[in-house]
Amino acid sequence: MAILPIIETPDPRLRVISEPVETFDDELKQLIADMFETMYDAPGIGLAAIQVGVAKRILVIDLQEPDPEDPDGKKLIREPRIFINPVFSEESEDDSIYQEGCLSVPEQYADVIRPAEVTVDWQDENGDKHRERMTGLMATCIQHEHDHLEGILFIDHLSKLKRDMLLKKLAKARR
Ligand code: GNR
Ligand code: NI
């Protein structure tokens, strides 16, 4: 296992369109393990392979929501999920607004409007096919991750004014 370096904007690799996975081998499983280790370390709730420089249609997500049984509400439940070659359909008419962040746009946050629900078809690490209706934070997160496969960042959903303000803040934070 290895923690991989996360690519940050304006690295042009974040604009590349990722290629479908065709071979479900040990190398793929190793990459997925490294992606989870990198995501948990960051920490983040999702990661697309292109964020670690691999232009393949692979997403890992773990919303790490608090355990409702834990009296302090501090314990997070780990529920790692793998989505390979995800395809969306039946995006809801209803939208949801969520304050998003991105490990490739560090420490910058903005409200993004997306369909509240989406049906996703995908393959797992063995190539087996799945379909599920996503809602809530999972719907938001998987749409954010899927954007990465198309070279899109959450800041692309903002007005030019808001995007420029956010990128200015990022530049300032880096100095
Ligand atoms: O860790 C992350 N948090 C997050 C919050 C709201 C909407 C999307 C996300 S995904 C992000 C990790 C990341 O950059 N994934 O690509
Ligand atoms: Ni992101």
Side-chain angles (χ1 to χ4, degrees):
M1 296 260 282
I3 295 168
L4 306 171
I6 296 175
I7 292 171
E8 296 180 2
T9 190
D11 191 311
R13 286 174 290 177
L14 291 169
R15 298 314 190 169
V16 166
I17 297 180
S18 293
E19 296 288 340
V21 172
E22 281 166 2
T23 326
F24 296 83
D25 56 7
D26 285 350
E27 194 184 327
L28 173 69
K29 292 179 177 75
Q30 181 61 57
L31 172 61
I32 290 167
D34 289 347
M35 285 174 64
F36 274 116
E37 197 180 357
T38 303
M39 182 192 79
Y40 288 128
D41 175 70
I45 61 171
L47 191 73
I50 194 61
Q51 293 179 277
V52 293
V54 178
K56 295 210 176 118
R57 300 183 86 81
I58 305 165
L59 311 176
V60 298
I61 295 179
D62 189 335
L63 301 179
Q64 301 163 77
E65 292 180 306
D67 182 351
E69 314 252 285
D70 177 33
D72 304 326
K74 283 181 197 156
K75 204 169 123 204
L76 303 181
I77 300 183
R78 280 201 177 177
E79 206 176 324
R81 310 226 22 202
I82 300 163
F83 300 93
I84 298 172
N85 302 330
V87 177
F88 290 177
S89 60
E90 296 171 51
E91 301 185 354
S92 63
E93 294 285 331
D94 279 20
D95 285 336
S96 118
I97 302 182
Y98 197 89
Q99 188 176 56
E100 298 195 13
C102 180
L103 296 172
S104 298
V105 189
E107 284 160 59
Q108 307 303 318
Y109 304 90
D111 284 350
V112 178
I113 305 171
R114 301 182 185 274
E117 300 189 5
V118 59
T119 297
V120 185
D121 284 271
W122 76 94
Q123 286 171 280
D124 63 27
E125 67 278 25
N126 301 312
D128 295 332
K129 294 182 175 177
H130 303 270
R131 170 178 288 185
E132 191 177 321
R133 183 76 173 164
M134 302 302 181
T135 64
L137 179 56
M138 179 55 87
T140 294
C141 187
I142 200 164
Q143 289 177 76
H144 172 116
E145 301 312 336
H146 185 270
D147 272 355
H148 280 298
L149 304 182
E150 299 296 317
I152 297 167
L153 300 174
F154 82 94
I155 54 174
D156 302 338
H157 292 276
L158 310 177
S159 67
K160 178 164 166 49
L161 181 70
K162 277 196 187 155
R163 179 168 55 251
D164 287 350
M165 275 171 45
L166 187 150
L167 290 172
K168 216 179 236 179
K169 276 204 295 172
L170 177 60
K172 202 169 172 186
R174 277 173 171 161
R175 276 197 270 117

